Amino acid sequence: MTFEALGLHTSVLKALTEAGYTKPTAVQAQAVPAAIEGRDLMVSSQTGSGKTAAFMLPALHKFASAAEQQPVAAGKTPNQEAQSARSRGDRPRFKAAQPKMLVLTPTRELALQVTNATDKYGSHMKRVKAVSILGGMPYPKQMQLLAKNPEILVATPGRLIDHMESGKIDFSQLQILVLDEADRMLDMGFIDDIEKIVDATPESRQTMLFSATLDGVVGNMAKRITKNPLVIQIAGSATKHENISQRVHFVDDLSHKNRLLDHLLRDVTMDQAVVFTATKRDADTIADRLNIAGFAAAALHGDMHQGARNRTLDGMRRGQVRVLVATDVAARGIDVPAITHVFNYDLPKFPEDYVHRIGRTGRAGRNGIAVSLVNHSEGVNVKRIERFTKQLIPVDVIEGFEPKRSASASRPNNKPGGWKPGDNRGNASKPGQRTFSKPGAPRKDGGGFSKGPRSGEGGARRTYSDR
Ligand code: AMP
């Protein structure tokens, strides 16, 4: 299968060649032709599968084809109209932006990534402009962007609603609505905002919804907002993360964990790494400690200003930052190809976050390594992750860093989420060294899954403010 065979416009094909893409990924091969036909889509696919291009390429194709058929009348942009009004001595009026496409994303980082990808895929199109409307960005800057009347808006829900309510955006001309990582937007408590935004768009729109899962609440919402959708489920290696070598190291205490992390970060095959922590404070503390230990480390979390977050991510992309120490929400959507390793310093609160975390490495067909540093009492949480991913995570032990407590797993079988005593669990370097304490044993480093509602970063629902 080639991109030409998908029927894409030549200007899009040219950009893809420049991007070095030779063939469509599985989700692109299925989604692009149906989206070009104008069908609504409900797609279950993971980050790293090429989903951004799956919705953006057909949209750009549509805009490029329409521009050819109907050269735009020599109209003025809202900005130009405001200037003419000023020169006529009229009171300038702000005319609401009328985008043709809206992409909703859960986080600012993902929105910026989608906007950058759009610039790349649309680099040979003259009239298409994509802008990000995000919380944390100064309002005057956003007003300037909206005054250019961009064709494509990529936005986080909260800030978008602010602009809609103050009359800065008019969706009457909207043709395409995309919900990217819809499950995550619902987890973050954006359901009411999403419904409000969807209600403000025309019935005639094309709707494409992308989500890690199409079950439960997200599936119901998807059915409500789409019309006769094509349902695409991508269960390929990208979903199973077959290109990512996963392992668990058991640790006795924090000092053992820190020594092991330092040792693993000195791996000569490591290019760049993300270390995930449970709290923002830990992200700062560990980044400071690693810097003192001689690693080029930086923290990334939701308490940092957007400017600082962007600078850190730029440093990561340019290779100046080698180790990013991050919380879940801040790290979502990071797409840096040189990330070879992901470390779970703390296990995530929810098993699905594990999948998103390890998806920061092994992107676009590369290989990656994902290592979880696990307290003895957290064996049960590893088991939950295994049940969720339906994969065993091998336990590894490094000479000189062996945990004091020995393996005492009493797992009924060898299905994911259960170990047989003595089973060698894939690529563990010293099979049989499995260390589990009895359920309920006291924890030393406060890890553990939460059964309550997802908390974003540290507590109440939607603590991550995107306004
Ligand atoms: P996404 O799932 O959209 O975040 O994309 C993951 C990564 O795959 C990004 O770095 C894209 O640039 C890259 N990518 C997307 N489609 C292709 C393709 N057809 N060939 C090669 N790389 C791709």
Side-chain angles (χ1 to χ4, degrees):
M1 171 74 75
T2 59
F3 281 111
E4 284 79 4
L6 297 181
L8 288 163
H9 192 270
T10 46
S11 62
V12 179
L13 291 174
K14 212 167 156 188
L16 290 173
T17 308
E18 282 175 11
Y21 295 4
T22 48
K23 60 182 174 55
T25 64
V27 66
Q28 291 160 9
Q30 292 190 52
V32 172
I36 287 179
E37 271 179 35
R39 284 202 64 179
D40 283 4
L41 303 180
M42 273 171 62
V43 184
S44 121
S45 69
Q46 297 287 351
T47 171
S49 59
K51 63 184 171 57
T52 313
F55 60 77
M56 200 46 85
L57 300 182
L60 292 174
H61 163 89
K62 185 171 179 171
F63 298 143
S65 310
E68 256 173 18
Q69 281 161 22
Q70 274 184 340
V72 170
K76 289 175 179 161
T77 67
N79 230 0
Q80 288 165 334
E81 275 184 14
Q83 265 168 14
S84 319
R86 262 195 299 275
S87 58
R88 287 196 306 269
D90 297 352
R91 241 177 98 216
R93 274 181 307 125
F94 184 94
K95 203 169 162 207
Q98 294 187 319
K100 294 185 181 137
M101 178 179 191
L102 170 66
V103 183
L104 286 177
T105 72
T107 64
R108 307 167 198 179
E109 277 73 18
L110 185 58
L112 289 172
Q113 192 184 308
V114 171
T115 308
N116 290 340
T118 309
D119 290 346
K120 180 159 81 176
Y121 303 144
S123 58
H124 288 280
M125 293 170 63
K126 282 189 200 93
R127 285 194 212 109
V128 171
K129 170 116 192 86
V131 305
S132 314
I133 296 297
L134 313 169
M137 198 190 261
Y139 275 89
K141 166 90 186 144
Q142 294 196 333
M143 303 291 284
Q144 272 172 18
L145 292 173
L146 288 174
K148 295 199 167 94
N149 200 23
E151 284 75 10
I152 302 172
L153 284 190
V154 186
T156 50
R159 181 59 72 91
L160 184 72
I161 295 248
D162 288 350
H163 285 298
M164 281 165 61
E165 285 174 350
S166 59
K168 303 292 181 304
I169 301 172
D170 161 13
F171 283 126
S172 62
Q173 303 303 309
L174 196 88
Q175 298 170 15
I176 303 171
L177 171 67
V178 176
L179 275 73
D180 196 5
E181 300 198 356
D183 53 333
R184 177 51 59 126
M185 285 197 277
L186 297 192
D187 286 345
M188 289 170 75
F190 286 134
I191 180 96
D192 294 342
D193 289 352
I194 291 175
E195 304 228 325
K196 206 174 205 176
I197 294 164
V198 172
D199 284 349
T201 63
E203 277 284 305
S204 57
R205 67 173 190 269
Q206 179 182 26
T207 308
M208 297 186 251
L209 179 139
F210 289 73
S211 175
T213 167
L214 295 174
D215 300 335
V217 187
V218 71
N220 291 337
M221 184 188 73
K223 282 181 209 134
R224 264 199 325 274
I225 67 171
T226 55
K227 283 191 240 51
N228 182 28
L230 177 69
V231 180
I232 299 174
Q233 309 251 11
I234 301 293
S237 58
T239 310
K240 291 199 218 134
H241 291 299
E242 278 164 358
N243 56 333
I244 300 171
S245 163
Q246 302 172 54
R247 54 190 83 141
V248 162
H249 285 270
F250 281 96
V251 296
D252 297 320
D253 50 30
L254 274 183
S255 142
H256 186 195
K257 194 185 258 193
N258 286 334
R259 279 188 295 117
L260 188 54
L261 177 66
D262 289 13
H263 174 80
L264 292 167
L265 287 173
R266 291 184 206 284
D267 180 346
V268 287
T269 65
M270 195 195 93
D271 202 342
Q272 283 177 294
V274 184
V275 177
F276 282 97
T277 63
T279 66
K280 303 167 199 172
R281 217 172 73 183
D282 277 354
D284 282 332
T285 313
I286 294 165
D288 287 348
R289 192 183 65 68
L290 291 175
N291 268 314
I292 293 167
F295 298 101
L300 186 77
H301 56 71
D303 271 359
M304 292 163 60
H305 290 301
Q306 192 61 40
R309 283 161 74 159
N310 291 346
R311 275 195 297 282
T312 302
L313 282 175
D314 274 355
M316 190 78 182
R317 281 191 201 99
R318 286 200 301 269
Q320 292 156 343
V321 173
R322 269 194 82 213
V323 184
L324 188 71
V325 189
T327 54
D328 279 301
V329 169
R332 205 167 175 80
I334 292 177
D335 182 23
V336 179
I339 296 173
T340 48
H341 289 58
V342 167
F343 295 97
N344 289 313
Y345 186 87
D346 297 307
L347 282 178
K349 273 203 174 107
F350 298 92
E352 54 268 44
D353 286 336
Y354 175 85
V355 176
H356 285 288
R357 286 182 177 192
I358 71 170
R360 298 306 108 213
T361 182
R363 295 183 72 78
R366 293 179 177 80
N367 293 323
I369 293 174
V371 180
S372 298
L373 305 176
V374 177
N375 204 32
H376 294 299
S377 59
E378 294 176 298
V380 64
N381 295 337
V382 175
K383 199 167 146 187
R384 278 194 208 140
I385 291 170
E386 293 184 325
R387 238 185 263 128
F388 181 78
T389 61
K390 299 189 176 63
Q391 284 176 319
L392 285 165
I393 310 175
V395 177
D396 204 355
V397 178
I398 292 176
E399 226 174 304
F401 294 89
E402 297 87 348
K404 288 196 195 88
R405 290 163 74 167
S406 63
S408 59
S410 54
R411 305 272 178 143
N413 54 45
N414 196 23
K415 288 192 195 117
W419 288 301
K420 278 193 301 201
D423 98 49
N424 91 357
R425 299 168 49 74
N427 61 6
S429 60
K430 282 198 182 168
Q433 295 230 25
R434 233 143 285 128
T435 45
F436 284 95
S437 61
K438 291 186 194 86
R443 292 212 200 114
K444 286 191 180 143
D445 66 355
F449 281 108
S450 156
K451 284 190 177 143
R454 183 181 294 279
S455 61
E457 282 189 345
R461 257 170 106 76
R462 204 172 154 190
T463 51
Y464 169 79
S465 162
D466 81 329
R467 286 180 192 253

